[in-house]
Amino acid sequence: MPATKIDFPVENLTNRPPSVEEEIRRRIAAERDRLARSMGLGNSASHFRRPVERPFTAEERHKVTILFGGLTWKHEALIRAVFQGCGYKCEILPVPNVAAFQLGKEYGNNGQCNPTYFTVGNLVQYLQFLESEGVPRQHLIDNYVFFTAGSCGPCRFGMYESEYRLALHNAGFDGFRVLLFQQNDGIQAASGEPGLKFTVDFGMGMFNALNLGDIVSDMIFRIRPYEVEKGKTEKIFHEAVDDLCTTLRERKPFEDHEDLPKWLAQKIAANKGKGWEKVVNSLGKVYDHLYGRAYKEALHAARDRFNSIEVDHLRVKPIVKIIGEFWAQTTEGDGNFNMFAFLEREGAQVLVEPIGTWVMYMMYQAKERAWEKRKLEAPYKRPGWYEPHKHLLNDLNARKKRWMFSVGETIYDRQYTRVVKGLGSLSHELVSQKEMADLAHPFYHQFARGGEGHLEVGKNIYYTVNRLCHMVLALKPFGCMPSTQSDGAQSAVANHFKEMIFLPIETSGEGEINAHSRVQMALGEAKVKARMEFEQILESTGKKLEDLKSYVADRPELRRPLYPIPHRKGVTGVAANFALHVSDLMDGKTRLRRVPGFTQALAHA
Ligand code: SF4
């Protein structure tokens, strides 16, 4: 390396020679500068600025296609329907596979967590696929945008946006637009680009799509393991989701001048310009989305379709509750080793996690944090004892925030429960966040942030102590920082609750066979547990399995997936609970329950 020429500053020559320390620092700075310039990095001390995204404008709306993905096929189909209903062109990215993971590694940064590789690589893979189909690269850059969630951390989720940009740059798609839905700021702060306008219809449509996606997804996993005709559940659910999508896409939006009684519409029109007509119109839209006839009818039509599936609830199945990192526990592909399909093939019933739990978690956390910080954020700092009005105002200010979050939680929870009921009451309602935080608290503090935070621990305990599953499987992505934290806590939890069968699995783009074999071992234990439970229950009824079966065979209601099987305290399995109920029916201790949407026509179908 050629020797670096040292230019002493004039004042040093005139005043005093530099000390050795100063000289070392100066030489290091000069060398760092030279290296940075040779790498084309310019001034190494310059601050990072988020690249300014080319806006997605309203004029482009008719020609630009919005890409999104990363959830289940049910959520994605319903969300796309809402986009389309609001006039957007929209496409769903394929489920990320191992090839996408490898592309993510090739074009992205090293040292990311597993979901980053999969999702980033998936976008690049899809753009490359479109290019291979003959779509010119510049056309892709100009006429497609990617819509995703963002956050400020503290885990790597905060880096997703820049990861997308880096990988797109490295793959030659510089200038491709990534629009963000900010996790912490909610829907109002999303993207801010006028091309993507968050109207009441769009927001409420997305709200319904999310709830429907969650509940339909939960139901499919509760029904499929017990279906009599193989493949029927899949077929029926695809048809039902198609119908729900049609409703979300083609429903006529509420407009006050068209849908209110004539006298009221005229009154509103006469007072135009006073501002409140917009409020009336918005409230009408909200009501119509949640309680409108079109929505209710769509729910009941889907419910009746589900009832056409014949099931055998006397099949003994271990119930496996899935917990873990958000994406790993949601995706239905290579990103979690196709774990749900694998578990079902191995004879288990899978309990998946709704995205609604995450939404409730965010609200609960915001509420609790605001309460903890109430003294810091009080309008009057340290009021004296002689200033009771200031104490009162501080208190009111804190309670107001708490109350607002509580209202949000109540509305979300209530609407979720309404959809559960509308679709036949098979799904579990959202679990109380307070209960989960209280259960997790001795092991994981609710304010320890990152990933799922205390939720993982809370869910593990909740589903175990309430006997809602035989085994808990935690899906933790390779390289996930918060998962490393909760893994430590989970080992203490598993030691404390001796009856718990808990297995954490690290998901990655490699090692599927190894992961499946570990799951198989734990599942073996869960199967024994479920079988023993069923045999004990059967023995307690004093009846033979054949007697129960022939009683069920004569009653079509009992072969419907939406038959409400009572859950007995301390009994986990569906077959065990069903056997107890059928035995009571045979003994005349109880009566057949009403199946939502069940008709005699269905009985003979
Ligand atoms: S929770 Fe874990 S896997 Fe998910 S984005 Fe954060 S670091 Fe990555």
Side-chain angles (χ1 to χ4, degrees):
M1 190 175 75
T4 310
K5 185 170 167 285
I6 300 170
D7 297 323
F8 285 105
V10 177
E11 65 269 23
N12 280 342
L13 292 176
T14 50
N15 297 336
R16 62 174 173 81
S19 70
V20 176
E21 285 296 314
E22 284 168 344
E23 180 54 19
I24 290 171
R25 273 202 296 274
R26 207 181 66 83
R27 286 189 182 210
I28 288 173
E31 185 57 12
R32 184 179 290 135
D33 249 26
R34 189 189 67 76
L35 284 172
R37 276 198 305 276
S38 72
M39 300 294 290
L41 294 176
N43 182 2
S44 57
S46 67
H47 196 289
F48 170 78
R49 303 260 171 243
R50 183 169 173 249
V52 179
E53 194 66 280
R54 196 157 46 94
F56 167 37
T57 61
E59 298 78 59
E60 291 178 295
R61 201 178 288 160
H62 67 282
K63 62 168 188 156
V64 166
T65 302
I66 296 170
L67 299 177
F68 76 100
L71 302 173
T72 74
W73 66 263
K74 295 129 275 184
H75 290 91
E76 288 166 354
L78 293 156
I79 289 172
R80 179 177 58 186
V82 176
F83 268 121
Q84 290 171 335
C86 292
Y88 296 100
K89 289 171 77 175
C90 183
E91 273 175 34
I92 300 168
L93 291 177
V95 180
N97 56 16
V98 172
F101 163 82
Q102 278 154 356
L103 277 180
K105 280 198 147 177
E106 186 181 340
Y107 291 119
N109 255 323
N110 285 332
Q112 288 301 317
C113 55
N114 193 44
T116 325
Y117 290 134
F118 270 99
T119 51
V120 167
N122 199 36
L123 176 61
V124 172
Q125 190 186 42
Y126 189 63
L127 294 180
Q128 288 181 339
F129 161 75
L130 291 177
E131 207 177 11
S132 71
E133 293 284 292
V135 186
R137 182 168 290 204
Q138 196 54 45
H139 180 86
L140 288 172
I141 293 171
D142 292 339
N143 295 297
Y144 284 79
V145 294
F146 179 61
F147 182 67
T148 186
S151 168
C152 67
C155 75
R156 291 183 176 104
F157 195 30
M159 297 305 295
Y160 271 36
E161 179 194 2
S162 51
E163 275 306 305
Y164 279 116
R165 293 215 169 95
L166 177 74
L168 287 165
H169 167 80
N170 290 343
F173 293 98
D174 233 348
F176 188 91
R177 285 167 285 180
V178 177
L179 304 184
L180 268 205
F181 166 76
Q182 281 286 349
Q183 180 194 8
N184 290 339
D185 298 342
I187 204 154
Q188 289 187 350
S191 123
E193 310 293 355
L196 196 58
K197 213 169 160 205
F198 285 85
T199 60
V200 178
D201 283 320
F202 183 79
M204 292 310 298
M206 284 295 176
F207 177 76
N208 283 342
L210 210 59
N211 277 346
L212 285 170
D214 274 352
I215 295 156
V216 168
S217 190
D218 181 64
M219 289 177 78
I220 199 169
F221 284 105
R222 285 176 190 265
I223 297 175
R224 191 165 43 207
Y226 302 97
E227 68 185 3
V228 171
E229 187 189 329
K230 196 165 166 35
K232 178 107 188 229
T233 311
E234 198 68 18
K235 179 176 169 289
I236 292 288
F237 271 77
H238 269 98
E239 288 169 4
V241 170
D242 279 353
D243 286 353
L244 289 168
C245 287
T246 307
T247 305
L248 293 183
R249 188 171 44 242
E250 293 173 10
R251 62 184 297 283
K252 180 199 152 316
F254 172 92
E255 296 300 343
D256 51 6
H257 57 281
E258 292 168 5
D259 300 303
L260 285 178
K262 210 168 172 187
W263 64 270
L264 190 54
Q266 278 171 352
K267 209 171 171 68
I268 290 170
N271 286 285
K272 219 170 173 83
K274 294 197 176 155
W276 54 266
E277 79 275 6
K278 276 194 187 155
V279 178
V280 172
N281 203 34
S282 300
L283 289 175
K285 281 176 182 291
V286 171
Y287 182 86
D288 189 51
H289 274 278
L290 300 178
Y291 301 95
R293 197 189 320 155
Y295 189 49
K296 266 195 221 160
E297 284 176 0
L299 292 182
H300 290 166
R303 177 199 67 190
D304 297 348
R305 269 185 193 278
F306 302 150
N307 256 333
S308 69
I309 303 166
E310 188 182 348
V311 291
D312 173 8
H313 278 143
L314 284 171
R315 282 183 197 159
V316 182
K317 302 261 171 196
I319 300 176
V320 180
K321 172 66 193 160
I322 304 292
I323 62 168
E325 189 266 348
F326 178 83
W327 185 79
Q329 69 177 351
T330 305
T331 189
E332 297 176 331
D334 290 350
N336 61 13
F337 302 131
N338 294 285
M339 196 55 84
F340 307 149
F342 173 74
L343 284 164
E344 282 192 356
R345 275 201 310 278
E346 290 294 310
Q349 177 198 329
V350 179
L351 278 191
V352 287
E353 191 57 49
I355 295 171
T357 307
W358 179 252
V359 178
M360 293 293 279
Y361 167 75
M362 300 294 292
M363 285 195 271
Y364 178 78
Q365 288 291 93
K367 180 173 81 172
E368 293 302 303
R369 273 175 200 283
W371 186 249
E372 284 298 303
K373 288 201 302 197
R374 64 190 181 282
K375 286 191 180 153
L376 284 174
E377 290 175 355
Y380 298 102
K381 308 280 181 244
R382 298 172 187 272
W385 61 266
Y386 48 85
E387 297 172 302
H389 63 291
K390 289 187 180 173
H391 283 284
L392 186 67
L393 286 171
N394 281 349
D395 192 56
L396 283 177
N397 182 57
R399 282 181 198 281
K400 191 176 77 189
K401 274 192 194 159
R402 202 174 161 84
W403 182 79
M404 275 164 47
F405 284 118
S406 298
V407 169
E409 285 177 313
T410 309
I411 292 174
Y412 197 95
D413 189 41
R414 206 177 121 69
Q415 292 307 324
Y416 189 93
T417 307
R418 274 191 62 238
V419 182
V420 168
K421 288 189 177 147
L423 289 174
S425 300
L426 180 64
S427 274
H428 198 301
E429 291 165 13
L430 291 172
V431 179
S432 152
Q433 287 292 326
K434 172 148 182 25
E435 190 175 347
M436 282 206 278
D438 289 347
L439 287 171
H441 196 78
F443 306 94
Y444 202 111
H445 197 281
Q446 63 175 352
F447 293 142
R449 289 181 65 200
E452 288 255 315
H454 69 272
L455 266 188
E456 262 191 59
V457 173
K459 286 180 206 167
N460 193 4
I461 302 173
Y462 177 87
Y463 281 86
T464 304
V465 298
N466 288 306
R467 298 286 178 102
L468 296 171
C469 70
H470 295 100
M471 164 182 161
V472 178
L473 178 64
L475 297 170
K476 324 290 210 94
F478 162 78
C480 171
M481 293 187 289
S483 288
T484 316
Q485 231 168 284
S486 58
D487 268 356
Q490 293 285 27
S491 66
V493 174
N495 271 327
H496 190 83
F497 296 93
K498 298 291 178 203
E499 76 278 23
M500 183 179 276
I501 302 180
F502 171 71
L503 179 68
I505 285 284
E506 191 179 72
T507 59
S508 167
E510 295 118 13
E512 179 167 318
I513 293 177
N514 185 25
H516 282 178
S517 118
R518 288 188 58 212
V519 173
Q520 244 167 356
M521 281 194 272
L523 191 61
E525 262 184 77
K527 279 182 182 172
V528 172
K529 200 171 164 184
R531 172 60 57 192
M532 276 172 54
E533 177 190 50
F534 182 75
E535 279 165 9
Q536 278 168 10
I537 292 287
L538 193 61
E539 201 182 320
S540 74
T541 66
K543 299 189 176 64
K544 289 199 176 109
L545 182 57
E546 288 66 39
D547 299 336
L548 299 183
K549 280 187 173 173
S550 80
Y551 184 86
V552 172
D554 292 339
R555 285 158 186 83
E557 296 95 315
L558 292 171
R559 288 182 273 120
R560 296 299 136 195
L562 303 186
Y563 185 86
I565 305 170
H567 185 259
R568 305 288 176 104
K569 203 168 168 22
V571 181
T572 307
V574 172
N577 277 300
F578 190 58
L580 276 173
H581 180 58
V582 174
S583 166
D584 285 353
L585 286 169
M586 291 168 78
D587 295 343
K589 289 186 189 162
T590 186
R591 290 213 300 225
L592 272 175
R593 294 180 156 212
R594 199 182 72 79
V595 186
F598 180 77
T599 59
Q600 280 312 309
L602 264 177
H604 303 293

